[in-house]
Amino acid sequence: MTEPLRLACIDSDAAPLFLRDDPVEGRRGYEPAVAELIADELGRPLEWVFLPWAEMLPAVRRGEANGVLCGQGITESRLREVDFTRPYAVFHESVLIRRGDPVRSAEDLRGRKVAAIAGSTNMALAETFDGAVTVPFGGDSDDVFGDMLEALRAGEVDAVVDDDVVFVPLGDHPDFELAFTVRTGNRWAVGVAKDRPEDLAALDGALGRIIADGRLAKAWAEWLPALEYPFGGGAGGAEE
């Protein structure tokens, strides 16, 4: 029997990246589509390992999953924990505020509370906003993104920093609006345990092949049509 490809992620709604696991339709969204393409290319059945955000990388290091395919921007701190494949996405970062708030630049956030996931690229960006009061949200929650939105809605924080892709569904939301976007070019990739080079080679090779033959571009066009495709040609034609 072929060994399943076990990938870790949180089980929550963060469209268009991923939707909560459904007993009929399974897992849907851009990242599940990427995972399915990789698994198909490797000829292995796909199996998701659902964990809180903070537990994903430790689980991979313990051998409980082959990789983390779940919003992992490549950062220096994460590179100390795991190795990464080539990127399957490149995103910029945006700042979300309550609708009607006059924030339009980083300078407008001086003295205001700005939320982001602790240890993330988003928190690193928030910490560059001079005078802003950063509020880290721990990854031990099953829905850290939802927690930050609720804090913003309740007035517990004044802004949320996250990758532009997660804010796409909120474009016409009555409670929120985008203040501004910083073109940071964060590269998202699959995190793999440092002592599993065979997993890294297999996942990276499969990813390279689905990029080269246009399958990844088709998944991007289906789930992320409003964003530029970052790998040349295909949906949007932007450069990496």
Side-chain angles (χ1 to χ4, degrees):
M1 183 176 179
T2 304
E3 182 182 355
L5 176 64
R6 306 184 78 228
L7 297 174
C9 194
I10 59 176
D11 186 20
S12 64
D13 286 322
L17 283 173
F18 49 79
L19 300 172
R20 193 176 296 276
D21 192 36
D22 184 273
V24 176
E25 295 187 303
R27 207 153 177 264
R28 301 173 63 243
Y30 177 67
E31 288 189 326
V34 174
E36 289 167 9
L37 288 171
I38 291 173
D40 287 346
E41 177 64 22
L42 294 175
R44 297 169 63 177
L46 176 62
E47 182 179 308
W48 287 102
V49 180
F50 294 121
L51 296 164
W53 181 271
E55 289 299 314
M56 295 188 299
L57 292 180
V60 165
R61 296 203 309 271
R62 292 192 299 266
E64 295 167 10
N66 300 106
V68 175
L69 203 169
C70 192
Q72 298 297 294
I74 301 173
T75 66
E76 289 300 320
S77 62
R78 287 176 182 150
L79 282 168
R80 289 192 288 270
E81 296 187 64
V82 295
D83 291 329
F84 282 99
T85 64
R86 72 191 70 202
Y88 60 81
V90 179
F91 295 123
H92 304 298
E93 293 171 85
S94 296
V95 175
L96 190 76
I97 56 175
R98 286 183 293 278
R99 186 165 293 281
D101 196 314
V103 171
R104 291 295 176 265
S105 68
E107 289 74 19
D108 296 330
L109 291 170
R110 185 182 297 275
R112 291 174 176 258
K113 294 180 179 179
V114 180
I117 296 175
S120 67
T121 56
N122 311 130
M123 178 55 75
L125 176 63
E127 289 170 347
T128 70
F129 298 160
D130 189 33
V133 180
T134 56
V135 180
F137 274 67
D140 53 350
S141 167
D142 289 334
D143 187 8
V144 64
F145 181 65
D147 293 344
M148 291 192 296
L149 292 186
E150 283 306 311
L152 179 60
R153 181 184 283 110
E156 297 167 6
V157 299
D158 301 299
V160 172
V161 180
D162 213 320
D163 291 85
D164 54 4
V165 61
V166 302
F167 293 141
V168 169
L170 301 178
D172 298 319
H173 197 284
D175 298 332
F176 310 120
E177 65 178 293
L178 284 182
F180 59 94
T181 295
V182 182
R183 293 185 64 83
T184 47
N186 289 337
R187 298 174 300 143
W188 286 25
V190 185
V192 182
K194 290 182 177 292
D195 61 356
R196 298 292 294 271
E198 68 281 5
D199 281 349
L200 181 66
L203 291 165
D204 186 70
L207 187 51
R209 293 189 292 276
I210 67 172
I211 292 172
D213 67 12
R215 281 178 284 171
L216 188 73
K218 289 180 180 178
W220 186 286
E222 178 181 358
W223 290 102
L224 309 174
L227 301 177
E228 289 181 326
Y229 182 66
F231 302 119
E239 295 298 324
E240 180 181 352

